[in-house]
Amino acid sequence: MLSICNTESPVRQLGFFGNGLEGIYGLSTVETATCWHFPSSQRIGEFASIREDFGADYVIDCWGSHSDPNGLFMAIGTHSGAAQVCSVDPSGLSQLWILPAATDSDSRGHCDTIRCSKTINQMANGAGLLLTAGEDSKICMWQLGNSEQVPEPPTPVATTVAKNKNVNRLDRDADEEGSDSGKRRRRI
């Protein structure tokens, strides 16, 4: 055994970040995060109040920058489909972007819990493409610009819905006919 880093809560995800991948982060099942300098096992950050501090329901994901020696980013979300991307450093989290939830007038974005994310072409400041996927059957691609965009939302590049097209057509036809079957319909 070389090292032990204790999160003090059950761990659901871990990963590396920083110069030589010497930083390690752990995300817990109780929506907290902890960071360490891995070779020394020294705790360098503990984030126990993410939900309270940012009005979030859960932590979606965390990832290290490939071009910033200290860059670590976290996506947090609400069960209505809204999300925030934050930079992480030992002193705390700083909001970089807001990913708005879909609305009745704008279906871009998520309308339910986001379960995962993946970055593409990420730069040191966190800018680049971000893919998110969730319980609403959508995969959304976001263009994250420079951090001066906050509070302006990033541009949704594309939204893909993995549902049967016939079901969507039937839902739309029923809505147009004024069907009042009492069933809750999810807008896409």
Side-chain angles (χ1 to χ4, degrees):
M1 169 94 38
L2 297 176
S3 173
I4 296 176
C5 300
N6 188 351
T7 63
E8 300 173 17
S9 296
V11 177
R12 69 170 176 90
Q13 181 180 335
L14 62 91
F16 292 94
F17 67 97
N19 270 341
L21 301 177
E22 290 184 353
I24 187 171
Y25 68 85
L27 301 180
S28 76
T29 60
V30 294
E31 312 308 331
T32 63
T34 310
C35 299
W36 300 268
H37 177 258
F38 189 57
S40 69
S41 299
Q42 180 182 355
R43 187 179 302 218
I44 56 175
E46 185 170 11
F47 311 100
S49 59
I50 297 167
R51 290 184 285 193
E52 295 81 9
D53 293 347
F54 289 90
D57 295 323
Y58 61 98
V59 176
I60 300 167
D61 205 353
C62 204
W63 62 90
S65 170
H66 300 291
S67 56
D68 180 356
N70 300 311
L72 183 61
F73 301 91
M74 181 182 295
I76 56 179
T78 66
H79 294 300
S80 64
Q84 301 171 52
V85 176
C86 301
S87 65
V88 181
D89 67 46
S91 63
L93 278 65
S94 300
Q95 182 188 71
L96 295 176
W97 297 282
I98 298 170
L99 310 178
T103 64
D104 288 337
S105 62
D106 186 357
S107 63
R108 295 177 298 174
H110 291 281
C111 58
D112 207 341
T113 303
I114 300 169
R115 288 293 174 198
C116 56
S117 67
K118 205 57 136 171
T119 59
I120 303 172
N121 300 329
Q122 184 186 18
M123 294 180 268
N125 65 356
L129 295 177
L130 176 68
L131 293 170
T132 56
E135 292 184 5
D136 56 4
S137 303
K138 292 182 181 180
I139 298 172
C140 297
M141 185 183 309
W142 305 88
Q143 175 67 55
L144 303 179
N146 63 42
S147 59
E148 287 144 19
Q149 280 189 309
V150 172
E152 291 295 319
T155 307
V157 176
T159 301
T160 302
V161 180
K163 285 201 170 205
N164 184 323
K165 291 181 182 177
N166 292 328
V167 172
N168 290 336
R169 184 183 51 75
L170 293 173
D171 285 348
R172 188 172 44 253
D173 292 346
D175 287 345
E176 289 172 2
E177 294 172 8
S179 171
D180 194 36
S181 64
K183 292 182 180 177
R184 181 177 164 228
R185 296 191 188 278
R186 185 178 289 170
R187 292 271 181 210
I188 298 174

